[in-house]
Amino acid sequence: MKTRNHHSAPKKINTRRLPHRWGADKILGMLSGVAVVFLASCSLLPAKTFETQQSEPQTQKIIEPNSVIVPPPMISSSGDPNFIVKVVQQVGPAVVRIDSSRTITSRVPDQFNNDPFFRRFFGDAAPQPRQRVERGSGSGFIINSSGQIVTNSHVVDGADRVTVTLKDGRTFDGKVLGEDPVTDVATIKIDANNLPTLSVGNSDALQPGETVIAIGNPLGLNNTVTAGIVSATGRSSSDIGASDKRVDYIQTDAAINPGNSGGPLLNTRGQVIAMNTAIIRGAQGLGFAIPINTVQKIAQELIATGKVDHPYLGVQMVTLTPENKERIKKVAGDRLNLTADDGVLLVEIVPRSPASEAGLRVGDVIKSINSQPVTKIEQVQKLVENSKIGTKLPIEVERNGQIVQLGVKPATLPVRREG
């Protein structure tokens, strides 16, 4: 969201059961500024372009455990200070502009349609539905010579029409093969052949400090090139304020602006190692990209089936820290016997969700999932994401000072789209 173990039967504990939403609003109010993650329906980030293509088989370097990874130098081994120029010349033709549009129809209030009073006085002059067209643009890159392209889901979400423009000026209508708002990846197909493509690197081997290059179409300025470094790897979605996503992002200080979404982030060898996707409003030098290993995996599923199913439990949770514990105890008093000092505290259980049916309760503290200890919400997210839908996932929780073993069968994550 891989291995599943049988769980032991739940221990019977004589304790008063808390309601599904007991104190959730008060707890969340006390935890303002603290990362709270909801493993339930997702909403989309506002954006307008994205497409994904299945890449042709690429050879990736296998990194042996404990091996030392030597990042490429700031200047190529040839000593050429203009190595970025050569990378851009090499890969630029495979970067595309994506324009999308969708028609929004305004809704006429029901009283004009159903109330005889309004019909008598307004007659044919009653308000009619109005339509407006929303337009957006972003970037993408070609990963297959037969016209498969990847971009961000938010670039093409809900689009009635998608247009792809190549660097040489040719324009094609694009067909969205599939989009996954949970990872913000989408795939597009255009009717063309013998197209230039990007080679794929290994995002798992990236290290902070490596030089990277971004190419895209920010603010309508086509084929814009910026450069910087990898500022950090493994930034969780909650770290950057996108808790409805399930991605560990690469952070970069290469300039990224609206319109860069879906474009490639490249290493000094011209290999795409991530897809540019987000910035923090009002900040400078804080750009985020989806690792290419994630993009490839999602893109292949989208091309094969048109969708991606993500496991879902139906819990809202927060990392338990001494500070959070004190805040919660002030709100709950003796109604919640919170004895754990660390773990992941459940602050809401969605009714009729897999978590509810398995017996998880508000106030439970998750200690391990599938025999793997957890102390942060990010760890829970990863383990759930890597679980199998419909197969019991062993979860150990601390409840009223006692350890309880449960088995939860993850369901398919329901995705809520923009209207």
Side-chain angles (χ1 to χ4, degrees):
M1 241 195 179
K2 278 178 172 167
T3 59
R4 236 74 41 224
N5 297 325
H6 294 291
H7 68 288
S8 58
K11 295 182 180 178
K12 295 182 179 179
I13 299 177
N14 295 322
T15 182
R16 181 158 53 94
R17 181 163 183 167
L18 297 170
H20 286 293
R21 285 190 59 87
W22 177 87
D25 53 346
K26 292 184 179 180
I27 291 175
L28 294 177
M30 291 293 291
L31 293 175
S32 60
V34 177
V36 179
V37 170
F38 199 12
L39 286 188
S41 300
C42 293
S43 60
L44 296 181
L45 295 176
K48 282 288 171 228
T49 304
F50 184 79
E51 299 190 351
T52 304
Q53 317 300 339
Q54 183 178 16
S55 61
E56 296 175 343
Q58 300 287 340
T59 302
Q60 293 187 352
K61 180 179 179 181
I62 298 176
I63 306 300
E64 298 294 338
N66 301 320
S67 63
V68 176
I69 305 170
V70 180
M74 287 292 290
I75 299 179
S76 63
S77 58
S78 64
D80 183 2
N82 293 318
F83 69 98
I84 292 178
V85 175
K86 294 182 178 179
V87 169
V88 173
Q89 292 173 342
Q90 172 189 338
V91 307
V95 181
V96 303
R97 171 174 174 148
I98 300 174
D99 293 287
S100 64
S101 62
R102 65 173 177 174
T103 302
I104 306 297
T105 302
S106 61
R107 181 174 172 270
V108 175
D110 291 338
Q111 61 262 33
F112 286 102
N113 296 320
N114 303 323
D115 193 318
F117 174 84
F118 284 100
R119 289 205 305 270
R120 181 195 308 172
F121 285 95
F122 287 95
D124 294 337
Q128 299 298 313
R130 294 184 178 181
Q131 291 186 336
R132 59 186 172 86
V133 177
E134 288 186 349
R135 304 182 188 279
S137 66
S139 307
F141 52 94
I142 306 168
I143 60 173
N144 185 287
S145 61
S146 61
Q148 292 178 345
I149 300 168
V150 292
T151 185
N152 282 134
S153 174
H154 71 253
V155 171
V156 295
D157 177 52
D160 302 317
R161 183 179 182 185
V162 174
T163 303
V164 177
T165 303
L166 306 187
K167 186 177 181 180
D168 62 15
R170 288 183 293 166
T171 299
F172 299 87
D173 287 332
K175 177 184 178 181
V176 178
L177 300 178
E179 53 176 306
D180 179 40
V182 178
T183 56
D184 202 8
V185 174
T187 57
I188 298 173
K189 178 71 170 63
I190 61 175
D191 187 12
N193 293 295
N194 301 318
L195 297 174
T197 63
L198 292 184
S199 60
V200 177
N202 181 5
S203 52
D204 289 342
L206 286 175
Q207 293 185 89
E210 288 191 42
T211 301
V212 288
I213 304 160
I215 304 179
N217 309 292
L219 303 173
L221 300 172
N222 294 349
N223 307 310
T224 295
V225 179
T226 58
I229 62 170
V230 173
S231 302
T233 60
R235 292 294 194 210
S236 70
S237 55
S238 58
D239 284 340
I240 70 170
S243 59
D244 61 332
K245 299 293 182 273
R246 295 189 183 181
V247 176
D248 282 340
Y249 295 91
I250 294 167
Q251 180 182 332
T252 179
D253 68 349
I256 296 175
N257 292 283
N260 273 116
S261 291
L265 190 67
L266 307 141
N267 61 21
T268 58
R269 293 181 287 274
Q271 299 171 323
V272 57
I273 45 85
M275 176 192 294
N276 301 317
T277 190
I279 56 176
I280 295 181
R281 188 180 303 275
Q284 293 184 345
L286 292 177
F288 300 92
I290 305 169
I292 194 61
N293 291 7
T294 299
V295 173
Q296 277 192 303
K297 176 180 178 293
I298 299 300
Q300 290 168 2
E301 291 188 48
L302 291 174
I303 291 170
T305 66
K307 63 185 181 70
V308 178
D309 290 331
H310 297 274
Y312 148 86
L313 299 186
V315 300
Q316 194 164 3
M317 56 189 179
V318 63
T319 296
L320 189 60
T321 64
E323 293 80 9
N324 290 345
K325 183 176 179 179
E326 286 303 312
R327 295 177 188 175
I328 294 167
K329 289 176 68 175
K330 288 180 180 179
V331 174
D334 58 2
R335 291 172 294 177
L336 182 63
N337 184 19
L338 187 58
T339 58
D341 293 319
D342 57 25
V344 176
L345 174 67
L346 302 185
V347 297
E348 183 177 345
I349 307 294
V350 177
R352 297 178 295 279
S353 67
S356 176
E357 293 175 357
L360 285 169
R361 304 178 187 177
V362 169
D364 285 348
V365 177
I366 300 178
K367 306 298 290 185
S368 71
I369 296 180
N370 207 17
S371 300
Q372 299 187 48
V374 296
T375 57
K376 299 179 180 179
I377 55 178
E378 291 84 4
Q379 295 170 320
V380 173
Q381 285 182 305
K382 288 181 181 180
L383 290 169
V384 172
E385 183 68 14
N386 290 328
S387 67
K388 187 176 181 180
I389 295 172
T391 299
K392 278 191 176 181
L393 182 65
I395 296 182
E396 180 181 275
V397 301
E398 183 173 329
R399 178 184 297 168
N400 294 328
Q402 299 188 47
I403 297 299
V404 180
Q405 306 287 344
L406 299 170
V408 184
K409 288 185 178 181
T412 299
L413 173 70
V415 177
R416 183 175 63 248
R417 295 184 178 278
E418 292 181 340

